[in-house]
Amino acid sequence: MSAPDRNLQTVSTPGDWTPASWRSRPAAQQPVYPDAGALAEVEDELSRLPPLVTSWEILSLKKQLAEAQEGKRFLLQGGDCAESFADCESALVSNRLKVLLQMSLVLVHGLRLPVVRVGRFAGQYAKPRSADMEEKDGVALPSYRGDFINRPEFEAAARTPDPRRMVKGHARSAMTMNFVRALIDGGFADLHHPEYWDLGWVGHSPLSEEYQRMVAAVGDAVRFMETISGEALHNLNRADFYTSHEALLLPYEQALTRQVPRQWGWFNLSTHFPWIGMRTASLEGAHVEYFRGLRNPVAVKIGPSVTPDQLMRLVDVLNPADEPGRLALIHRMGATQVADKLPPLLDAVRREGRRVLWICDPMHGNTESASNGFKTRRFANIRGELEAAFELHAAAGTRLGGVHLELTGENVTECTGGARELTDADLSLAYRSTVDPRLNYEQSLEIAMLIVRKQSSLVRPFAS
Ligand code: PEP
Ligand code: CO
């Protein structure tokens, strides 16, 4: 897709932007810290701690996202709704990685495209809430906003925002990154050894036969290539893995926003690929202001209330130079609204010839309360929104380049449906999320398989 002639800006840091310029705008969803001095000390400490990622990694992801925009890659982004400090454990981290690697094998095999793998981890500790306060039995306390900010227990001390938690969150993020990097560098992602990604509890999954067939086919292809080339295929033993989180808590994000030698501009070095949540995507708000000056690739969640005009203004502010790989739009409309709400947005972006990476989040528009009070998501609705998104993009002449999911490698029962047909009554068996319901391993793999099936059933106008 090439941009039509128009006066695009050159790629540069906006002249009126600084890492702190968001402070002059209304900042939604921020905690109120009782001790401003303690907050300032933490900000100072964080701004001197080593970063979690490097500018080289960020720029290499940006290049891969630019390729995904052109249909040469597919993006898989997934992880917990909210990480918790207590879940920073080796098995939980490696199981999540295993699911993402298995899904990515299914996608690579079925789509015949390299996959950009992005975790929702190593910093996904701050959550937007619908109300600032929570009331129980006549007592009102600040809402739980994620482990970066306070604790979930309904007690005044636990709910009081504590800035030291940002330092702890930075350390937990560093431990998570360190473990993921060590696993990947040590060969955990090696395509010669997909058995490394087996999850103990899977046993006789209804999907396992299909998955094992794909593993065998990939193994055959690898051996065939190695036989004819006479040498081991390099690059199969490691996979790039990138991180992302909702950059909600702006004092933390600002403290990790740095300049680096031999590069111009400012990088958020707390993550490769930060996103703006749906509730903080206002054009006049602090989050959009903060994001517009970063050199990272950035994403915005787009909900059903966004109009084409608002969307185009967001695109202008966040990517004024139409830079490749810079901007991803994650639409999350809900299965019942996607057919109405998505096409006008696709048309607007296509008409203006703007470069974006379209990603579907089929989770957040499909959250509901089950009959027994559990917050859940129906697999049929997740699937319905995702399949509709593929069709709507094909009809609009745009391309769905990725998927954004909440998932875990644990055997949880948080979303109903799927191959094992979990029911509302099953939700109580293993419901662990403190925030949104996640796909378990089998449901995640099933999503990867249905993406492949859906994509291959559509005419692909851009396939080369
Ligand atoms: C989320 O991704 O967990 C989230 C809160 O999403 P959204 O901003 O789309 O509601
Ligand atoms: Co969520």
Side-chain angles (χ1 to χ4, degrees):
M1 208 191 300
S2 70
D5 271 358
R6 63 180 177 267
N7 293 328
L8 289 171
Q9 297 173 19
T10 50
V11 182
S12 61
T13 307
D16 54 350
W17 182 92
T18 70
S21 55
W22 61 268
R23 291 180 189 265
S24 63
R25 303 283 187 96
Q29 298 284 344
Q30 303 301 293
V32 180
Y33 290 105
D35 181 348
L39 172 61
E41 263 172 42
V42 162
E43 289 176 310
D44 180 56
E45 179 175 346
L46 278 173
S47 69
R48 284 176 290 109
L49 284 173
L52 299 171
V53 304
T54 66
S55 62
W56 304 303
E57 293 165 343
I58 289 171
L59 294 176
S60 94
L61 173 62
K62 203 186 236 181
K63 202 157 150 269
Q64 292 195 15
L65 295 176
E67 291 169 4
Q69 285 173 342
E70 291 173 12
K72 296 180 183 149
R73 289 177 182 271
F74 191 81
L75 173 119
L76 170 65
Q77 184 173 25
D80 284 320
C81 179
E83 289 177 283
S84 74
F85 292 170
D87 282 355
C88 185
E89 268 184 17
S90 59
L92 290 174
V93 173
S94 59
N95 284 352
R96 191 170 47 209
L97 206 58
K98 287 176 183 179
V99 173
L100 289 166
L101 286 166
Q102 290 196 9
M103 292 176 79
S104 131
L105 180 136
V106 170
L107 294 170
V108 167
H109 175 256
L111 300 178
R112 305 276 188 259
L113 286 176
V115 169
V116 190
R117 303 169 195 87
V118 180
R120 262 179 82 113
F121 54 60
Q124 180 55 18
Y125 289 116
K127 296 305 297 174
R129 299 314 303 256
S130 48
D132 284 343
M133 302 297 283
E134 185 181 339
E135 232 188 274
K136 251 188 216 169
D137 306 326
V139 181
L141 292 176
S143 296
Y144 169 61
R145 290 186 172 276
D147 273 9
F148 252 160
I149 291 132
N150 52 7
R151 287 186 283 126
E153 298 87 293
F154 194 77
E155 295 158 11
R159 291 295 179 89
T160 306
D162 174 3
R164 298 293 320 161
R165 298 184 70 80
M166 284 191 264
V167 180
K168 189 161 178 182
H170 175 270
R172 298 277 151 142
S173 301
M175 288 177 219
T176 306
M177 289 287 308
N178 182 56
F179 187 44
V180 170
R181 288 185 196 285
L183 284 172
I184 301 277
D185 287 346
F188 187 69
D190 190 341
L191 265 182
H192 296 94
H193 294 285
E195 73 278 8
Y196 292 171
W197 319 330
D198 287 345
L199 282 152
W201 62 270
V202 176
H204 5 266
S205 160
L207 301 171
S208 85
E209 235 174 79
E210 193 171 348
Y211 175 69
Q212 290 308 335
R213 265 202 309 277
M214 290 183 204
V215 168
V218 170
D220 282 350
V222 168
R223 277 186 296 277
F224 175 72
M225 289 305 292
E226 288 180 336
T227 307
I228 53 174
S229 69
E231 54 187 294
L233 291 179
H234 51 276
N235 257 341
L236 290 183
N237 54 352
R238 62 180 310 282
D240 291 334
F241 228 104
Y242 296 97
T243 63
S244 66
H245 65 253
E246 179 176 349
L248 182 69
L249 184 58
L250 291 171
Y252 176 81
E253 305 300 336
Q254 183 190 330
L256 272 297
T257 304
R258 313 278 173 84
Q259 286 178 301
V260 298
R262 288 175 291 284
Q263 290 284 358
W264 62 269
W266 294 83
F267 292 84
N268 180 329
L269 297 181
S270 77
T271 189
H272 301 110
F273 188 25
W275 79 83
I276 307 179
M278 184 186 75
R279 291 163 193 77
T280 48
S282 143
L283 270 163
E284 291 74 36
H287 291 82
V288 170
E289 171 58 23
Y290 167 72
F291 270 70
R292 82 186 167 99
L294 298 175
R295 282 200 68 196
N296 303 58
V298 300
V300 198
K301 292 282 202 94
I302 305 294
S305 69
V306 175
T307 64
D309 183 56
Q310 284 167 338
L311 181 66
M312 293 323 296
R313 283 190 290 149
L314 263 179
V315 170
D316 275 338
V317 172
L318 291 171
N319 193 16
D322 204 39
E323 186 194 357
R326 157 72 177 170
L327 181 61
L329 301 176
I330 308 174
H331 50 77
R332 32 88 79 226
M333 303 294 177
T336 56
Q337 298 206 66
V338 65
D340 275 349
K341 304 292 181 182
L342 187 59
L345 304 180
L346 303 182
D347 288 344
V349 172
R350 203 213 42 236
R351 246 193 335 267
E352 305 258 332
R354 299 306 290 260
R355 268 192 201 99
V356 303
L357 175 62
W358 290 107
I359 300 173
C360 176
D361 165 358
M363 313 296 295
H364 286 89
N366 294 311
T367 315
E368 60 182 270
S369 275
S371 47
N372 47 8
F374 282 101
K375 194 176 179 188
T376 192
R377 290 163 173 156
R378 315 267 176 219
F379 191 85
N381 291 337
I382 297 170
R383 172 187 189 142
E385 178 164 358
L386 192 54
E387 291 187 335
F390 273 104
E391 282 164 22
L392 295 164
H393 275 280
T398 49
R399 181 188 298 115
L400 183 58
V403 63
H404 181 116
L405 301 167
E406 287 185 344
L407 51 79
T408 171
E410 306 311 301
N411 188 9
V412 299
T413 53
E414 297 173 3
C415 295
T416 60
R420 237 178 248 268
E421 296 178 355
L422 294 179
T423 64
D424 284 9
D426 294 327
L427 290 172
S428 62
L429 295 176
Y431 196 103
R432 303 217 191 102
S433 176
T434 49
V435 203
D436 287 340
R438 301 159 296 178
L439 297 167
N440 64 24
Y441 157 79
E442 281 180 327
Q443 293 168 328
S444 304
L445 208 57
E446 195 170 350
I447 290 281
M449 289 175 181
L450 76 87
I451 290 172
V452 167
R453 256 179 249 131
K454 191 72 205 169
Q455 178 76 340
S456 22
S457 75
L458 291 166
V459 185
R460 284 190 276 169
F462 295 99
S464 51

